[in-house]
Amino acid sequence: MPTTSIARDPASSPGASGVGVISEKEAVARADRLLAQMTLEEKVGQISQRFDIASLFPTGASAPPGMPAMTPLDDNVRKAELGSLLFVHEPAVANKYQKIAVEQTRLKIPLLLGYDVIWGMRTMFPVPIGGAASFDPAGVEQARAIAASEARALGIHWTFAPMVDIARDPRWGRIVEGAGEDPYLGAAMAAAQVRGFQGDHIGAAGHIVAGPKHFVGYGASVGGRDYDSAYLSDSELYNVYLPPFAAAINAGAGNIMSAYMDLNDVPASANKRLLTDILRGDLGFKGWVVTDASAVHNLVKQGFAADGADASVRAITAGVDMEMSTAPNAFSTLVASVRAGKVPMKRIDEAVRRVLMVKYRLGLFENPYVDAAAAERITSDPAHAMAAQVAAERSLVLLKNDGNALPLVAGAQKRVAVIGAMADSPGDTTLSLAFPQDAVKAVTVFKGISERLSGIATVETTPGVQLSRLVPSPLAMLLGPVTPWTPAQAADELKKAVGLAARSDVVILTLGEKIEMSSEQASRSDLALPGDQRKLLDAVLATGKPVIVVLMNGRPLDLTGVYDKVPAILEAWYPGSRGGTAVARALFGDVNPGGKTPVTWPRSVGQVPTYYARNLSHDPDGAGRRYWDAPSTPLIPFGFGLSYTSFTIAPPTVDKAELAPGGKVVVSTMVTNTGARAGDEVVQLYIHQRAGRQSRPIRLLQGFRRVTLAPGESQQVSFTLDEANVRYWNSIERGWVIDPGTFDAWIGNSSLADAHTSFIVSGAPRAAH
């Protein structure tokens, strides 16, 4: 199994400088020569992107109710009104549009085709929060590289991913798309995904341009409500929310997507401080900025811009380079605005140059077309499915295992029940934002267990309950209609599930959320199990049969009445195309779960937001008694995960007591597998600054390494700390600083690590860079 060591701040590491099909210098020169030939209308077309809605549905299908008309964009492309299209994912359609662009327009400029390749294309990997749970950036990088190869084969050049928003409120539905609450882990995963998508340079064969999103603060929306405003102090912005973007940019990300919401009362897609001062000034971003869908139009709805023309002026002057739109582009008004002197031609040329440069670096002028036969061969490569299975296995987190209830012994139980709404649901196994998902080939939990026990046990399934949303999902029109059960049918299905449990020797109960209950427009006011799942659990437990819970979800859930009633809980997230195989292998001990929680798990929704990296208060000893009606400690800490074996982690040592200016300190430990099975442990390093010019969190993750050890095997694990690990953004001095003094260091297997040492940061108080 691959192992990955992160021994310093990922946000400070140098990334790929990127030389593609042609050098960056040559791309600038070619873009400038082309710019000199372009009319203003053609320039505005290059920075306009539209949805090709028709590409979401089978050829000849009509748009479902509520969807925009599915009019092909042939005429818009022919008139050079668009430089980019969204959602095209079939070689024939991609070639059709490129043929129009390069053969029927004056300047023959190819199109840039973008797509939501978030965590897979045809082969679906675990959702990003599951990938983060692996604590294995190298594995996540491999997964994104495979997704990129499939996407590029289909004619896609650019993905709106990774989503690198920090999320500390699990009510927010899009927590599923990111790496959770921690900026260090988030930065490591952001950089890994950019490298996977792009390769070592823009234009690398079989790779696509990465577009980290949503810049910035989207995950901090008030109340966890998608699209609501966010309010962040500069300390939070720089110390928590920006590091994953910095890491992605240092890894070479060619694109950044701006966010929808207001940040501190200014919409992010027209916020010059964000898009110019911070993104390009502080972070040094050189690529192009695209808005989220229709964000320019939305500036009017948000009460910020007077009309579409005003919105376009304010967006492009703030730093947006390309408008993504579901409707006719607001940017078309820029022609008149430039001529009226409201937008300098220099700013338009700057934006167009950035778009043309990436087209040159991708080699689109030389070869804009797709080989359909090669696309079929690449997207059906069986090695991709096996990689997805391994990724799913590494994302699994064993949350509870009292009495060694797991692993089960294959064949010890002759009748196995697999019950739950997600138990045999391919769509809920893959959870794809890449439409249309290839769910038919997905291995569900039921199918995976059936295949694992083929010939040695009878495996049966039934849903038991039906899950639905009070407010319909926007995905409903894509997923197709679902007929609600009648009360009588619901009672009958519950009875059927109980009957199956009663005649079985063990029950694998899948609990969690359906596909439409996570991701965009899927925020929740409550974290309890939706529908009658608690009722189902209680009824199945009443049969007296052993019950193992497999969670399928995109966020932490309230496990009241679950955690205390069952002996074992395996967190599977949405595990992807071969997720059911991975779950079955873990349940029966073929693999040993080694993942860790990338988020703090609250006891109830009343605790949120809750996260491990909080500041000390004047009453640190009473931190677990902040509520009078319940503990204020989490149910499950950040970085936690059990194993079928046991490990010891020795007290850490430092190679020197002092971190001098420009120097380094190495913190080391010895980890030993003290159990009878091979297994993985994620060794984690946390630090804390005892005193300084600003209060600092009680502890911060600053290193992790996932290691695989045989029974009785030991391995030394070391982490190198330098000034990048001890610096922070000071909100009073408005800059990065380093404070001298004593720093605590803990090493362990969760954020509750208690093996301790310390070191001194020497020198005078100083600025840091």
Side-chain angles (χ1 to χ4, degrees):
M1 295 290 186
T3 61
T4 301
S5 176
I6 303 297
R8 53 168 293 143
D9 181 1
S12 69
S13 301
S17 58
V19 178
V21 175
I22 60 172
S23 70
E24 186 172 349
K25 182 178 179 180
E26 178 62 17
V28 171
R30 291 190 188 185
D32 283 343
R33 287 196 293 270
L34 188 53
L35 264 170
Q37 304 174 54
M38 297 175 73
T39 66
L40 176 56
E41 289 80 1
E42 288 169 331
K43 292 176 181 179
V44 170
Q46 281 301 301
I47 58 176
S48 300
Q49 180 190 63
R50 283 276 298 279
F51 281 42
D52 179 36
I53 302 295
S55 288
L56 291 178
F57 304 95
T59 303
S62 57
M67 287 289 287
M70 298 199 305
T71 304
L73 299 175
D74 303 42
D75 287 343
N76 303 93
V77 173
R78 192 172 291 110
K79 295 174 183 176
E81 295 174 346
L82 299 172
S84 177
L85 300 182
L86 170 63
F87 283 157
V88 174
H89 63 279
E90 294 179 2
V93 179
N95 287 339
K96 178 196 77 167
Y97 280 124
Q98 294 289 20
K99 186 176 179 67
I100 295 171
V102 301
E103 296 185 16
Q104 299 180 34
T105 63
R106 187 177 73 91
L107 295 176
K108 308 183 185 311
I109 302 173
L111 295 165
L112 189 63
L113 302 181
Y115 203 78
D116 277 315
V117 188
I118 311 295
W119 50 90
M121 189 65 206
R122 291 289 169 81
T123 305
M124 299 306 299
F125 289 82
V127 290
I129 198 168
S134 73
F135 278 71
D136 179 17
V140 171
E141 180 177 339
Q142 180 192 26
R144 300 302 177 265
I146 290 172
S149 70
E150 293 185 352
R152 189 65 193 263
L154 293 169
I156 296 162
H157 314 121
W158 161 33
T159 177
F160 312 113
M163 196 206 83
V164 301
D165 297 312
I166 294 296
R168 292 179 161 179
D169 189 336
R171 293 175 297 180
W172 190 54
R174 302 194 77 167
I175 189 173
V176 67
E177 295 178 57
E181 71 183 56
D182 184 69
Y184 186 91
L185 177 62
M189 290 298 169
Q193 291 182 85
V194 169
R195 291 191 299 267
F197 282 129
Q198 287 192 179
D200 60 4
H201 62 270
I202 293 175
H207 290 273
I208 58 180
V209 178
K213 63 186 182 185
H214 309 80
F215 199 78
V216 62
Y218 185 33
S221 60
V222 174
R225 295 183 296 271
D226 213 2
Y227 306 160
D228 264 18
S229 300
Y231 294 90
L232 295 175
S233 67
D234 275 359
S235 179
E236 291 176 293
L237 181 64
Y238 280 90
N239 291 317
V240 178
Y241 290 87
L242 284 176
F245 283 99
I249 290 166
N250 289 342
N255 171 254
I256 290 288
M257 179 186 287
S258 62
Y260 288 117
M261 82 296 149
D262 284 6
L263 178 64
N264 300 334
D265 297 326
V266 179
S269 290
N271 191 319
K272 188 174 183 179
R273 179 176 178 243
L274 290 184
L275 301 181
T276 298
D277 300 343
I278 294 176
L279 180 60
R280 297 200 181 276
D282 294 346
L283 302 187
F285 179 61
K286 304 297 184 185
W288 87 103
V289 174
V290 67
T291 69
D292 207 337
S294 296
V296 176
H297 288 289
N298 294 341
L299 296 175
V300 180
K301 298 178 182 178
Q302 290 170 271
F304 183 76
D307 52 32
D310 182 39
S312 297
V313 169
R314 298 176 79 168
I316 198 163
T317 55
V320 166
D321 296 308
M322 177 183 283
E323 179 203 7
M324 178 194 296
S325 184
T326 58
N329 295 79
F331 264 21
S332 63
T333 62
L334 287 174
V335 173
S337 295
V338 171
R339 288 175 177 155
K342 296 179 180 179
V343 178
M345 181 66 82
K346 180 181 179 181
R347 174 67 192 103
I348 300 294
D349 287 349
E350 180 180 55
V352 176
R353 182 181 297 109
R354 290 169 179 155
V355 173
L356 293 177
M357 281 178 62
V358 76
K359 292 183 178 183
Y360 279 117
R361 296 183 71 189
L362 287 170
L364 298 184
F365 284 87
E366 289 76 17
N367 182 21
Y369 298 113
V370 183
D371 182 336
E376 180 59 30
R377 183 177 66 254
I378 291 169
T379 58
S380 60
D381 186 341
H384 295 183
M386 182 53 66
Q389 178 184 314
V390 172
E393 291 170 358
R394 294 178 71 77
S395 73
L396 300 174
V397 184
L398 187 59
L399 297 179
K400 184 179 181 182
N401 194 26
D402 288 356
N404 294 320
L406 289 176
L408 301 171
V409 177
Q413 300 87 16
K414 297 304 181 184
R415 301 188 70 87
V416 177
V418 185
I419 297 173
M422 286 75 67
D424 194 29
S425 172
D428 294 307
T429 303
T430 59
L431 180 60
S432 173
L433 294 185
F435 309 116
Q437 62 179 316
D438 190 8
V440 176
K441 298 177 183 178
V443 179
T444 65
V445 172
F446 166 65
K447 185 176 180 182
I449 294 173
S450 297
E451 291 175 348
R452 177 62 182 81
L453 299 180
S454 177
I456 58 176
T458 299
V459 183
E460 298 177 85
T461 188
T462 191
V465 294
Q466 185 182 50
L467 305 182
S468 61
R469 292 172 35 145
L470 178 63
V471 177
S473 167
L475 297 180
M477 62 185 68
L478 296 167
L479 299 174
V482 175
T483 303
W485 290 352
T486 64
Q489 187 178 5
D492 184 60
E493 291 290 344
L494 180 60
K495 183 178 179 181
K496 185 188 302 182
V498 173
L500 173 58
R503 66 176 183 268
S504 300
D505 300 316
V506 66
V507 178
I508 309 300
L509 187 61
T510 63
L511 301 176
E513 300 175 313
K514 298 283 286 181
I515 176 177
E516 65 266 23
M517 294 175 174
S518 280
S519 202
E520 192 165 359
Q521 295 185 39
S523 295
R524 295 188 60 186
S525 64
D526 190 6
L527 298 177
L529 288 172
D532 288 333
Q533 292 184 96
R534 279 281 305 279
K535 183 178 179 181
L536 172 64
L537 171 63
D538 290 342
V540 169
L541 286 171
T543 66
K545 297 303 176 73
V547 176
I548 304 297
V549 166
V550 174
L551 289 177
M552 296 180 65
N553 47 295
R555 53 159 64 87
L557 297 173
D558 182 342
L559 297 181
T560 301
V562 180
Y563 192 85
D564 56 332
K565 291 183 177 181
V566 298
I569 301 175
L570 181 68
E571 173 60 76
W573 313 104
Y574 299 103
S577 297
R578 292 186 61 84
T581 302
V583 169
R585 282 170 53 79
L587 291 175
F588 291 95
D590 303 321
V591 294
N592 192 345
K596 303 288 183 176
T597 52
V599 288
T600 300
W601 206 289
R603 297 176 186 273
S604 69
V605 73
Q607 286 186 315
V608 302
T610 184
Y611 44 91
Y612 84 90
R614 65 188 187 281
N615 283 10
L616 288 165
S617 73
H618 69 281
D619 179 27
D621 293 336
R625 303 189 301 271
R626 297 293 183 244
Y627 302 117
W628 65 260
D629 59 339
S632 48
T633 54
L635 178 68
I636 302 168
F638 174 88
F640 174 86
L642 299 172
S643 173
Y644 296 154
T645 190
S646 57
F647 299 92
T648 59
I649 298 176
T653 60
V654 292
D655 69 332
K656 59 177 71 74
E658 181 179 301
L659 175 58
K664 297 179 180 179
V665 168
V666 178
V667 186
S668 300
T669 189
M670 186 70 69
V671 57
T672 302
N673 182 344
T674 56
R677 289 176 178 264
D680 288 8
E681 181 61 287
V682 179
V683 184
Q684 302 162 45
L685 170 69
Y686 296 85
I687 69 170
H688 168 63
Q689 176 180 313
R690 291 187 186 176
R693 287 172 280 179
Q694 186 169 300
S695 295
R696 300 293 292 134
I698 187 171
R699 55 180 62 189
L700 288 170
L701 181 69
Q702 288 297 299
F704 61 84
R705 184 178 176 190
R706 181 166 177 161
V707 296
T708 302
L709 299 175
E713 184 181 3
S714 297
Q715 184 173 328
Q716 180 172 294
V717 177
S718 297
F719 303 99
T720 300
L721 300 175
D722 60 21
E723 290 186 305
N725 298 100
V726 299
R727 73 172 190 161
Y728 67 92
W729 176 270
N730 186 290
S731 57
I732 301 301
E733 300 183 29
R734 300 191 63 76
W736 295 99
V737 303
I738 295 174
D739 292 331
T742 301
F743 281 70
D744 295 298
W746 296 270
I747 283 185
N749 56 10
S750 80
S751 57
L752 300 182
D754 57 7
H756 175 264
T757 189
S758 63
F759 60 93
I760 301 293
V761 173
S762 62
R766 55 196 181 273
H769 303 285

